[in-house]
Amino acid sequence: MFNLILFGPPGSGKGTQSEKLIAKYGFKHLSTGDLLRSEISNQTKLGMEAKSFMDKGQLVPDAVVIGMVDAAISANKGVNGFLFDGFPRTKAQAIALDNLLDSHATAINVVLALDVPEEELIARMINRAKTSGRTDDADESVQKKRISVYKNETLAVAEHYSAFDKVVTLNGLGEIDTIFTSICAEIDARA
Ligand code: ADP
């Protein structure tokens, strides 16, 4: 199994690159943002609780997202690898993920971090809001909040995996296909 974390701030292109990676390598995509939005559209209790955090740009509580990921990993035994997108987002989530994978006799192979300047992130979120219908993209104060949550809580995930020498930082600015090529090179060097 080859398990990859696509890491980066909101708007760094994780979703776009994930789609291309899944098509090429057949990874199972595990996006906690997508899982939460599906809970919201199905109007589940979990979805309704999560929405209030998401609309403010805050993180959904660790126990909720860890439980969702646990269920998704167990439901997908036999895949050739997971692509984690938007998860883990806190150090506690990273530790929980390592333990979950360990219990399935596997581990994270690499964390690919997309590096994009803050001005560009905001510009992309404003642009995405026009087509995504995502309520958390439309408001500038929510965008700023998500970036500050990333700095204060999520950067610790990169530190966690750096200690195991698993993080590779890639330039996330430029053509989508150029970025994709650089991501593929890192995967191919390890797979
Ligand atoms: P983006 O990468 O643009 O921030 P996501 O779809 O990954 O978008 O996340 C949207 C929102 O969903 C986040 O702002 C947060 O409220 C919630 N969310 C997604 N993943 C997690 C997670 N792993 N832990 C906590 N909250 C999450």
Side-chain angles (χ1 to χ4, degrees):
M1 254 182 124
F2 189 90
N3 301 305
L4 157 76
I5 295 174
L6 201 53
F7 186 81
S12 57
K14 302 187 294 292
T16 304
Q17 296 296 337
S18 290
E19 274 177 36
K20 294 173 73 71
L21 289 166
I22 281 138
K24 176 164 174 165
Y25 294 98
F27 296 128
K28 174 67 193 167
H29 189 201
L30 231 161
S31 157
T32 43
D34 286 352
L35 290 173
L36 290 166
R37 281 185 288 276
S38 141
E39 295 281 343
I40 293 172
S41 61
N42 291 327
Q43 299 192 336
T44 65
K45 185 164 173 283
L46 189 156
M48 294 304 99
E49 280 170 16
K51 188 177 190 318
S52 60
F53 292 98
M54 292 166 77
D55 283 349
K56 287 184 256 175
Q58 294 170 355
L59 293 183
V60 174
D62 284 339
V64 174
V65 282
I66 292 165
M68 272 190 342
V69 171
D70 186 2
I73 291 175
S74 296
N76 286 285
K77 290 199 180 97
V79 296
N80 67 357
F82 288 100
L83 193 173
F84 295 97
D85 162 10
F87 178 90
R89 245 179 167 94
T90 62
K91 186 169 181 184
Q93 291 181 16
I95 293 169
L97 177 62
D98 293 346
N99 291 335
L100 281 173
L101 291 176
D102 191 51
S103 73
H104 291 273
T106 185
I108 290 298
N109 293 79
V110 69
V111 178
L112 298 176
L114 296 174
D115 185 27
V116 176
E118 193 164 325
E119 312 78 67
E120 171 72 9
L121 298 175
I122 302 268
R124 288 184 188 180
M125 280 190 262
I126 291 169
N127 205 30
R128 185 168 68 181
K130 292 179 194 150
T131 53
S132 70
R134 277 179 51 171
T135 43
D136 61 341
D137 277 341
D139 183 299
E140 197 186 325
S141 69
V142 175
Q143 294 160 1
K144 294 229 160 91
K145 174 70 182 167
R146 281 157 69 203
I147 291 174
S148 84
V149 166
Y150 171 78
K151 289 182 188 159
N152 294 331
E153 302 187 51
T154 305
L155 272 178
V157 171
E159 283 164 28
H160 171 79
Y161 288 106
S162 288
F164 301 101
D165 212 12
K166 289 188 175 175
V167 181
V168 178
T169 301
L170 299 170
N171 179 13
L173 266 189
E175 294 294 323
I176 289 172
D177 283 338
T178 311
I179 300 164
F180 182 63
T181 304
S182 69
I183 294 175
C184 293
E186 295 298 334
I187 295 171
D188 295 342
R190 289 169 178 79

